[in-house]
Amino acid sequence: MAQQISDRRDMDFVLHEQLNVGELSKKEKYAEFNKKTVDLVINEARNLAVKEILPTRQEGDEKGCVFEKGKVTTPEIFKRPFELLKEGEWVAMTEDPDWGGQGMPRSVSMAAAEYFNGANYAFMMYAGLTHGAGRLVETFGTDRQKNLFLKNMYTGKWTGTMLLTEPVAGSDVGRLETKAIPQGDGTYKIEGQKIFISSGEHDLAENIVHPVLARIEGAPAGTKGISLFLVPKYRVSEDGSLDQFNDVNCVGIEEKMGIHGNATCTLSLGDKGECVGELLGEENKGMRAMFLMMNEARLLVGMQGFACSTASYINSVNYAKERIQGRHLTKMLENDAPAVAIIQHPDVRRMLMTMKSYVEGMRSLLYYVGWCEDMADVVDSEEEKEKYKGLVDLLIPIAKGYVTDRAYDVCNLGMQVYGGYGYTKEYPQEQLVRDCRITMIYEGTNGIQAMDLMGRKLGMKKGKLVMDLMGEITATINTAKGLEKVQPHAETLEQALNKLGEAAMHLGKSAMSEKILDAFAYAYPFMDVCGDVCMAWMLLWRASIAEKALEKAKKKDVAFYEGQIKSAQFFCNTVLPTTLGKIQAILATDGAAVEIDEASFNG
Amino acid sequence: MAQQISDRRDMDFVLHEQLNVGELSKKEKYAEFNKKTVDLVINEARNLAVKEILPTRQEGDEKGCVFEKGKVTTPEIFKRPFELLKEGEWVAMTEDPDWGGQGMPRSVSMAAAEYFNGANYAFMMYAGLTHGAGRLVETFGTDRQKNLFLKNMYTGKWTGTMLLTEPVAGSDVGRLETKAIPQGDGTYKIEGQKIFISSGEHDLAENIVHPVLARIEGAPAGTKGISLFLVPKYRVSEDGSLDQFNDVNCVGIEEKMGIHGNATCTLSLGDKGECVGELLGEENKGMRAMFLMMNEARLLVGMQGFACSTASYINSVNYAKERIQGRHLTKMLENDAPAVAIIQHPDVRRMLMTMKSYVEGMRSLLYYVGWCEDMADVVDSEEEKEKYKGLVDLLIPIAKGYVTDRAYDVCNLGMQVYGGYGYTKEYPQEQLVRDCRITMIYEGTNGIQAMDLMGRKLGMKKGKLVMDLMGEITATINTAKGLEKVQPHAETLEQALNKLGEAAMHLGKSAMSEKILDAFAYAYPFMDVCGDVCMAWMLLWRASIAEKALEKAKKKDVAFYEGQIKSAQFFCNTVLPTTLGKIQAILATDGAAVEIDEASFNG
């Protein structure tokens, strides 16, 4: 039977043949997660995803969330799988078992997350945001706060959110106007309005815990005066029981293009002056807390987008093998030639090959970022720890910005493979396009990701992050150079990597000069080419493993391994030449977009 | 006040400064359409579009079409503007006034169509398809058929459709199974099922005329045995009055990603054996008739997609000038620096500049194709006529395939400029994305367009079409070389054009060799780079006019003309380097997508 949601063989390849995650079990922290356990965990995740979550995707989209008199009702079909997520302890896969987590390596959790999010990520957001909010409590909370909130969150009994955005403070968080007024007893009255709050109000849990960014009365303007507060929907008594409603009012939900199953709420805090919050972490250090959580949140968004694309891809492969339409190109003139499966048409193959190579490259990249986080946790030397942390920091904007861009492209190709049927709601492809689209916007638009990459990450530690990454890529290239089949692709990637280094130097310098605006007009193209090179890197790495594995591969694995080499070949010969062209444009840094008179944009 | 739907200044520029459509009035056929009349026509179209059609866009999407017991109800808000379309004689703008048309040049009709389709193209499809069906009757019908049907169609009293697709015959029309059984009286009983029929059933007109592709009993298999029939919803008596229901049964409408205002119907013909049709044109010549209409239909789809993008662009410009968010990049470290309009951020400018240059390039290309059709009608020499017809044939797959691809990209950028708001239904941007998406699929998927370009058009008349196009582009380059500001861009385009010629030669040869499958796997990238070069051509042409005009421009026009030069500069320096990279990949013609084992695509 055809696979659904994702390709297990490929996931296993990344986990066990590329990253060897079983090796992590040699370290105390992950001692329980040997290869066998990892496989069992992923089996369970797959079963839950395919049998219980996937059937909710279309209905969740059609029914959506209903807002009435301050209450949000989620689709009825969500209730059972949410209970199962809790039972299976899937809300906090990677967190401390003492607080209700499963304690698994992040790399392994990526595979489970791929299944879950590919099945229905609008549904998964209720759990995903809970996990993120819990991490804030775990990292910045007092013991009392952890005891009162954390276990209920990590077990999914209560859910969590993140209250950042306000009508005038979107990308520019520093302008937020939500106020916190000290009550003298250590608590604060919170007053303000927050918008675009995913899972901000719903009926899946008995309480919702809102970490809220607000400004304590008298605190400085801008980001320096922002503090983080813990604001539950219902107040929590010291014995852990629920107390009165905390004046957190849902005043509406957004009508959106997609993710209809997730409630995007406008929350009005303290309409009756009765919204009480407690400080989470230190005064005026709210932004720092947010930044620490940002990597995780952005990686999750990359995963959400990616999971849409992997589902779209596997659907397309299955469809293209079954759908009969048109004669084979070499038999176009034979009127009675049989119609063939569309996978035999070169243009359909071009689309599938494009999807395949991006999906594989993105999968490896996302799992790799998770693995770097694991390594940062378990390696002994401080130097290595720093290296892995740096790689994560550098790769996050790519794992969010580039990955969601390409994931959206893949979803669009996935619709195109289906032809007219792809545009109808009879098939899942159009929903995957709509759901995927928001991942390019929220959690920092992809433009913001590009600014982060060029403006912050590139120069961090005097460029050490970039040097480390180039070192890793070069190591892959050098291995590949010694292998017969992949060797030419290694050389193509090397050329692109060198050019990329040149572009990074050039933009880095320009950004420090009077050409700063021109340079930043190329931040996005720069993220784009960095992503291309990372894709090629991952595909070359995979192909090198595959070439070696082919020597003694079982028959059933031959097509898989050969397919790995084909992906690298396709990407290096078809995409990288375009990447080089893009790099040329970056090096030229044309100033038109910056110089043009505002009045020349007619509106 | 900000403009809506589209930029009139730019439309006027294309019509009067680039194409000089007023000159057409020197020919008898278009004698009535001097510049003044053209401007009046477009004023009227704009007023109708902005005041009457645009207000139906969102509601048409939200309410959609309702199917119940074989009947389709369109959104109530459509009724009035449809009457106004009829009153204003907008259904057949370019057709013979004797049959109810306005007889205007196609180039001029493009501007009106841009306003109408940008306002709500799902609504406009009821009129657009009527016009197409009418053209079939006009071209292939007998005098009797014209008298009975045509005037009612061109005036919009009756609407029209096109019944091609069947469940097993989509891109592969030749497999269609709808039967036509001769009745001995010159009429035929029609039996079969047709799907994806836009405007197939609705309540805007008293009758619907369906041109139907079907196979006469005993006719050959494949496309050679297909005939075209005229099948009205209600039979038409010889005196022109409506007679009994003609057994054309709507059995359902598609739930789709977008264009909810247009009913996409499944029609079952002859359930009771009472569906009667009459032959339109000759027996077994149905495909030829379809091919003759294809250019027009595909150009319309290019316009639909483009119109979405132009609306999205103008919305984005207006929004970016108004939306205040974030400090200026050079004042990032000043905590109390004022927030600025987002148009001041380099990355937003990159997006707007990208949108601007594509929208302008696409507008010129589409109007130019219309103008070539006009010229083919009015030039005296057969040679010139052939040249213009050839240019149309060659450019149609680009005007449909490339334009809708880029239009979709522009719409997606248009959502991105709005950030989170762009994903909500509070603003029009997300609907424009959804509506635009189908234009890449229907009327021949863009993959089919690419096959048409490479497989048919490239080799037509031994390559004369391509040579003619290259001649036109070269003429523009030569003019531009003599101008100070645009001269460097002329050289960049010349380089790309030469490379494109190389790619065309290479693919043409490969397609005739045993590398045919590899070659066709690059049909799509080839269409892509042809489109890029056409965009650069149009932008260079525009910039050359602008550079000359600047010498004596009025103050109010300076920003506009300078903006034209900026568009060419941006495109040639930012996009064309990437185009060159894509051409490199085409020349390399990597075989991975063709060679890969089907089993390597895991599903």
Side-chain angles (χ1 to χ4, degrees), chain A residues 217-365:
Chain A
E217 277 196 326
T223 53
K224 288 176 185 170
I226 295 177
S227 305
L228 184 61
F229 297 88
L230 212 50
V231 180
K233 175 178 168 185
Y234 293 104
R235 294 187 197 168
V236 180
S237 305
E238 292 304 312
D239 64 1
S241 65
L242 294 188
D243 199 344
Q244 71 182 93
F245 179 64
N246 195 29
D247 204 9
V248 177
N249 309 286
C250 180
V251 296
I253 61 175
E254 300 290 338
E255 295 298 318
K256 310 183 296 289
M257 182 189 194
I259 56 166
H260 293 147
N262 192 269
T264 308
C265 304
T266 300
L267 295 183
S268 186
L269 308 175
D271 288 358
K272 296 183 182 159
E274 290 174 8
C275 178
V276 174
E278 46 186 86
L279 200 59
L280 185 58
E282 296 173 51
E283 269 186 32
N284 298 339
K285 295 280 172 68
M287 281 309 287
R288 211 193 52 173
M290 290 317 302
F291 267 108
L292 279 169
M293 289 302 106
M294 219 168 250
N295 278 354
E296 187 164 334
R298 290 179 170 177
L299 187 59
L300 172 63
V301 174
M303 173 53 77
Q304 292 171 337
F306 166 66
C308 291
S309 78
T310 183
S312 185
Y313 168 61
I314 206 128
N315 291 340
S316 294
V317 169
N318 294 334
Y319 186 78
K321 287 180 176 176
E322 282 167 15
R323 169 75 176 164
I324 308 293
Q325 187 78 183
R327 276 159 278 174
H328 193 270
L329 190 64
T330 55
K331 294 182 177 167
M332 273 302 186
L333 301 177
E334 300 170 28
N335 233 333
D336 54 353
V340 297
I342 62 171
I343 199 171
Q344 295 198 34
H345 301 317
D347 191 59
V348 172
R349 288 185 157 249
R350 172 193 63 81
M351 291 194 275
L352 292 176
M353 197 74 220
T354 306
M355 296 170 85
K356 178 182 194 292
S357 57
Y358 279 111
V359 163
E360 289 168 357
M362 292 192 285
R363 178 176 292 123
S364 283
L365 182 68

Side-chain angles (χ1 to χ4, degrees), chain A residues 170 325 423 434 559 566 595 600, chain B residues 170 325 423 434 559 566 595:
Chain A
Q325 187 78 183
Y423 194 68
R434 285 185 293 106
K566 286 294 174 212
E595 294 155 10
S600 297
Chain B
Q325 188 77 183
Y423 194 68
R434 286 185 292 106
K566 286 295 173 210
E595 295 155 10

Side-chain angles (χ1 to χ4, degrees), chain B residues 479-490:
Chain B
T479 304
K481 277 184 179 171
L483 295 163
E484 192 190 333
K485 287 183 186 166
V486 298
Q487 177 262 336
H489 314 317

Side-chain angles (χ1 to χ4, degrees), chain B residues 70-103:
Chain B
K71 297 283 171 204
V72 171
T73 310
T74 59
E76 185 55 32
I77 201 172
F78 283 9
K79 270 69 178 184
R80 178 182 150 88
F82 194 77
E83 291 306 310
L84 294 172
L85 271 186
K86 291 197 287 189
E87 275 175 29
E89 298 180 350
W90 293 110
V91 176
M93 292 188 269
T94 59
E95 312 318 327
D96 195 337
D98 287 349
W99 294 111
Q102 276 200 58

Side-chain angles (χ1 to χ4, degrees), chain A residues 543-580:
Chain A
S544 302
I545 295 165
E547 182 166 342
K548 285 182 244 173
L550 270 172
E551 288 168 20
K552 45 189 180 182
K554 290 177 194 154
K555 201 176 167 196
K556 70 174 176 59
D557 280 330
V558 170
F560 175 80
Y561 288 127
E562 284 180 344
Q564 294 305 314
I565 300 175
K566 286 294 174 212
S567 293
Q569 178 190 332
F570 175 80
F571 198 91
C572 290
N573 292 343
T574 307
V575 179
L576 281 190
T578 310
T579 309
L580 287 173

